[in-house]
Amino acid sequence: MLLSVPANVQEYQQHKAAWGKIHQQISIDPTQREELKSDPVKFLSQAGVKVPDGVKINVVEFDPNNLYLMLPPVMSIQSGKGQS
């Protein structure tokens, strides 16, 4: 499975199942949680998730006193596509 936005329902279901399994693992196994935090690309690769070259993964530990807001990409008015 490639780490990307699902293109169709079948791909969405595959992503959902894979992420559910990963979430369950890191929720109950402190060792795997630490492995994900220390080397997310390696951990995800071992879980069957292919991370594209050059993609950096930031793992953030849950903290009920902090909220995180991820901004969408800036959209180009002409093309309607995100800018890199």
Side-chain angles (χ1 to χ4, degrees):
M1 176 180 71
L2 180 65
L3 184 63
S4 64
V5 176
N8 55 49
V9 173
Q10 182 180 5
E11 198 172 288
Y12 170 78
Q13 292 296 337
Q14 291 171 341
H15 278 217
K16 185 177 175 182
W19 286 112
K21 184 177 178 182
I22 291 168
H23 185 267
Q24 181 180 19
Q25 287 176 302
I26 63 170
S27 294
I28 61 175
D29 186 339
T31 301
Q32 288 196 16
R33 186 181 193 93
E34 289 304 314
E35 289 174 6
L36 173 62
K37 288 167 49 179
S38 69
D39 192 345
V41 173
K42 180 180 176 184
F43 181 90
L44 293 173
S45 294
Q46 291 173 342
V49 177
K50 296 175 188 168
V51 179
D53 290 340
V55 171
K56 181 179 177 187
I57 298 176
N58 296 306
V59 177
V60 180
E61 188 88 31
F62 174 76
D63 178 349
N65 296 314
N66 289 298
L67 297 176
Y68 301 92
L69 178 62
M70 184 176 0
L71 300 175
V74 175
M75 301 300 282
S76 166
I77 294 174
Q78 290 87 7
S79 68
K81 296 183 180 178
Q83 298 177 355
S84 301

